[in-house]
Amino acid sequence: LLSGNNINTNNIVHAVVEIEFPTSVPKLNGPKNLKEGNKLFEKGDYDRAAMHLWRAVLMQEQNKDKYTVDDCFGKFMQCFSIQGKTADGFVYIAQESIGRAQYPMAKMYLNQALAMDPDHSDGNLLKDQLEAMGIYADDNNDSSTNKRRRTITSNTNNDQDDDDDDDLFLEKTPAELYEMASTHFAERNYEKCADVFEISCVRSQMQLSPSCANAVYCRNMIIDWGFNGTQFDADMKRIEQIAIDEIEQFRSSDDKNSFEWSRAMSTHPHMMLSYPLRNSTLKRYVAESAAFTEDISQRIVGRGEIKPLPADLPYTHDHQSYVQTFVKDKTKLRIGFVASGFNSKAVLYLSHDMFRFFDTTKFEVHIFSLGAPDSPQFIKFGMRGVDWRKRVKANVDVFHDVQRFQNNHIELARYIRKRDIHILMEWDGYARQGDRAQGLFALRPAPIQIWHQEYLGTSGAQFVDYLFTDIVTSPPHLAELYVEKLIYLPNHFFSKGH
């Protein structure tokens, strides 16, 4: 990228100086920095947390088996956004990228910072210094008054695509472009990831289906539907064809109730649910493939090796013995709710009041929370003193903080089974990958398992017995598309306390 420019990067004066706080954590120990960063984040010490989390980001490549980039990068950015200083975070990354001669990345993050705050003093100082050295060239030779305006290119055919991007794409394989687009997606840069996923798809001659499907989803995120919706129509045909091809390629079946999937389909169930397809059965197959691989995907170790399940899993249950126990002993029903969002999430905002209405003479209510509580500072300033998690705790029998099992569905299943839960409800559906209890229901920790609230379609799973819904969300004439028995609520599928 820089050949022939004779740039001496030692002359660059960094606009943002990292403050070195006293710490006993070694700089080059990724897992320890991640742990320290998370601990400081929970204490509300966001500046020091950001320093440790960024070190964890830099060391992730050497610790692929211990944590992912998403484990640390998202919370790193939250250290700034929770203080209303998101642009500072982008400038921080831009500076760090320059220090590693990653100039296109530096430019991208600097653009995002200045798009949020065109007058950001440190960002503009860094930009001016890079421009003076020929690294940061204006794309359109704007006048000084327009110099700091962000240029967004959201179409792969746009003649104003960044030259740097063209250089980056030139030698990339479809798989490498997929990884690049996934990074943009994690950063919520949907314009960029829509383009890169599409280039990956086309370069693979439409064979890399995850790229082809994700390009459609990202275009929908930015409402890029083409002239008179022609792009949207073409995208829906693409999604249908991907599904038809992958059903034939990855699914084997002897009869209606006996089937196997060699891998999950490329379109995510939540994405598929929103598409107005001519063949709705395809949505069921996408969910079915995700369900079949739920547990298996959590047991993959090393280079594709699948760790075997313990001999006692999945659990089996004698339903008749439960019935006899209730009739004879008048036992309370133990109901469990498992989710990642028992904090300031929209689902809990709407639903936290429902726990006040359980008849305590008949029901014993347990919460299994995989998500972290909100920090005291966020509750005080962001929530104005309102703690929904605390409200839930006050109205249930037992609140289990099970964060330690977030990525261990086997131990989580054992933990829940020991509590002898009769009915277990899951609130996340297929959302919140990496945070939810992925693979848990496949191990059958409870005799009756129900999905509720987050996902409106069929789970496609043989381990989900019931689905709470309503007649508008799941019209009775479409019941054959569901594998679960449908429990119709009288007004609305969502349990709202407002």
Side-chain angles (χ1 to χ4, degrees):
L1 178 67
L2 300 175
S3 85
N5 290 345
N6 297 319
I7 295 173
N8 181 3
T9 57
N10 293 325
N11 293 332
I12 297 177
V13 179
H14 285 188
V16 183
V17 178
E18 178 180 342
I19 300 173
E20 286 288 347
F21 295 92
T23 176
S24 60
V25 178
K27 283 188 177 183
L28 299 182
N29 191 313
K32 286 188 177 180
N33 274 288
L34 177 59
K35 182 179 180 180
E36 183 69 8
N38 285 328
K39 185 170 73 174
L40 292 168
F41 184 91
E42 294 306 322
K43 290 181 178 179
D45 193 347
Y46 300 117
D47 291 331
R48 292 177 68 193
M51 178 185 71
H52 286 287
L53 291 167
W54 182 252
R55 288 177 181 169
V57 171
L58 298 181
M59 296 304 299
Q60 191 275 333
E61 187 71 18
Q62 290 78 33
N63 295 277
K64 289 182 177 179
D65 59 329
K66 295 183 175 67
Y67 62 92
T68 67
V69 171
D70 290 341
D71 290 335
C72 41
F73 183 80
K75 191 158 285 187
F76 165 80
M77 286 305 303
Q78 287 180 45
C79 291
F80 296 94
S81 61
I82 205 168
Q83 301 181 80
K85 303 191 299 184
T86 304
D88 287 7
F90 289 140
V91 172
Y92 187 112
I93 300 171
Q95 175 200 327
E96 289 288 315
S97 300
I98 291 168
R100 291 165 178 77
Q102 297 170 329
Y103 299 105
M105 183 180 291
K107 179 179 176 181
M108 180 184 73
Y109 279 105
L110 197 52
N111 277 341
Q112 292 190 50
L114 295 177
M116 297 187 71
D117 183 4
D119 298 318
H120 195 286
S121 57
D122 288 336
N124 281 306
L125 176 60
L126 190 59
K127 179 182 177 183
D128 291 340
Q129 290 168 342
L130 294 179
E131 283 180 339
M133 309 196 76
I135 296 174
Y136 193 111
D138 259 343
D139 296 328
N140 300 309
N141 296 319
D142 292 341
S143 66
S144 59
T145 56
N146 293 327
K147 202 172 191 178
R148 292 168 182 162
R149 186 181 304 158
R150 180 187 183 202
T151 301
I152 298 176
T153 59
S154 60
N155 191 303
T156 53
N157 295 319
N158 195 318
D159 292 335
Q160 296 179 348
D161 279 354
D162 292 343
D163 291 338
D164 286 344
D165 288 344
D166 292 339
D167 292 338
L168 280 171
F169 299 155
L170 193 60
E171 302 298 329
K172 297 288 186 183
T173 66
E176 289 171 334
L177 288 168
Y178 174 85
E179 295 299 331
M180 182 188 296
S182 298
T183 300
H184 292 316
F185 184 87
E187 296 160 356
R188 300 188 180 184
N189 189 340
Y190 299 120
E191 295 96 343
K192 185 82 72 173
C193 69
D195 290 350
V196 183
F197 274 132
E198 185 65 22
I199 295 170
S200 171
C201 173
V202 172
R203 190 166 292 179
S204 73
Q205 298 183 337
M206 314 298 283
Q207 297 303 303
L208 190 56
S209 297
S211 286
C212 300
N214 289 346
V216 171
Y217 179 72
C218 293
R219 279 195 286 270
N220 275 271
M221 291 294 288
I222 57 175
I223 320 179
D224 182 7
W225 293 337
F227 180 71
N228 285 342
T230 52
Q231 180 65 60
F232 182 81
D233 292 340
D235 282 346
M236 292 306 100
K237 290 179 181 177
R238 174 191 286 187
I239 292 295
E240 286 193 346
Q241 193 58 54
I242 289 173
I244 291 169
D245 292 343
E246 291 188 335
I247 291 168
E248 182 177 352
Q249 185 177 358
F250 304 133
R251 189 180 193 270
S252 57
S253 174
D254 295 332
D255 55 55
K256 183 178 180 181
N257 296 316
S258 177
F259 58 84
E260 289 186 357
W261 287 87
S262 59
R263 52 153 278 193
M265 294 171 69
S266 298
T267 307
H268 191 280
H270 273 272
M271 301 178 189
M272 194 69 165
L273 197 60
S274 67
Y275 294 146
L277 305 182
R278 294 168 295 178
N279 184 356
S280 296
T281 307
L282 299 176
K283 300 184 180 187
R284 172 171 169 165
Y285 280 123
V286 166
E288 182 187 278
S289 73
F292 189 87
T293 56
E294 270 274 286
D295 159 60
I296 297 172
S297 64
Q298 293 299 96
R299 290 188 283 118
I300 296 176
V301 294
R303 295 184 176 273
E305 178 188 351
I306 299 175
K307 185 178 178 180
L309 266 177
D312 61 330
L313 295 175
Y315 292 112
T316 57
H317 303 273
D318 183 354
H319 291 75
Q320 192 57 41
S321 68
Y322 282 105
V323 173
Q324 291 172 355
T325 300
F326 291 125
V327 171
K328 180 181 178 181
D329 301 331
K330 306 296 182 182
T331 305
K332 284 185 181 182
L333 270 175
R334 283 184 289 277
I335 302 176
F337 292 82
V338 60
S340 63
F342 284 101
N343 46 27
S344 56
K345 295 288 193 296
V347 171
L348 198 61
Y349 168 68
L350 293 170
S351 302
H352 65 268
D353 265 345
M354 66 173 275
F355 297 103
R356 295 193 293 122
F357 300 103
F358 280 95
D359 185 340
T360 56
T361 66
K362 297 179 180 179
F363 302 103
E364 181 180 300
V365 181
H366 293 246
I367 299 295
F368 299 93
S369 174
L370 289 157
D374 295 310
S375 69
Q377 288 79 7
F378 179 75
I379 291 172
K380 181 178 180 180
F381 299 108
M383 300 295 294
R384 299 181 181 181
V386 178
D387 187 347
W388 297 334
R389 187 186 184 97
K390 187 176 180 180
R391 288 186 178 181
V392 171
K393 284 184 176 182
N395 290 294
V396 300
D397 294 279
V398 189
F399 189 101
H400 305 269
D401 187 338
V402 290
Q403 293 179 71
R404 61 191 181 280
F405 300 133
Q406 190 174 70
N407 294 307
N408 192 336
H409 68 306
I410 292 176
E411 291 306 312
L412 179 59
R414 294 196 189 286
Y415 182 89
I416 293 174
R417 183 71 190 93
K418 287 179 181 177
R419 274 71 193 168
D420 198 18
I421 299 298
H422 302 129
I423 301 174
L424 187 62
M425 285 186 256
E426 213 258 9
W427 271 7
D428 289 325
Y430 288 115
R432 301 185 180 92
Q433 209 80 357
D435 295 328
R436 66 182 177 89
Q438 186 169 343
L440 171 68
F441 268 34
L443 304 185
R444 274 286 179 184
I448 296 177
Q449 300 185 158
I450 303 175
W451 271 22
H452 181 211
Q453 309 215 104
E454 187 74 19
Y455 186 72
L456 307 182
T458 180
S459 66
Q462 296 178 320
F463 47 76
V464 178
D465 304 301
Y466 296 92
L467 179 74
F468 278 109
T469 187
D470 58 60
I471 60 172
V472 174
T473 304
S474 307
H477 70 277
L478 296 179
E480 72 277 2
L481 295 176
Y482 293 80
V483 300
E484 308 86 354
K485 295 181 179 69
L486 302 179
I487 302 175
Y488 284 104
L489 297 180
N491 299 309
H492 195 277
F493 74 94
F494 217 102
S495 54
K496 295 181 289 185
H498 300 273

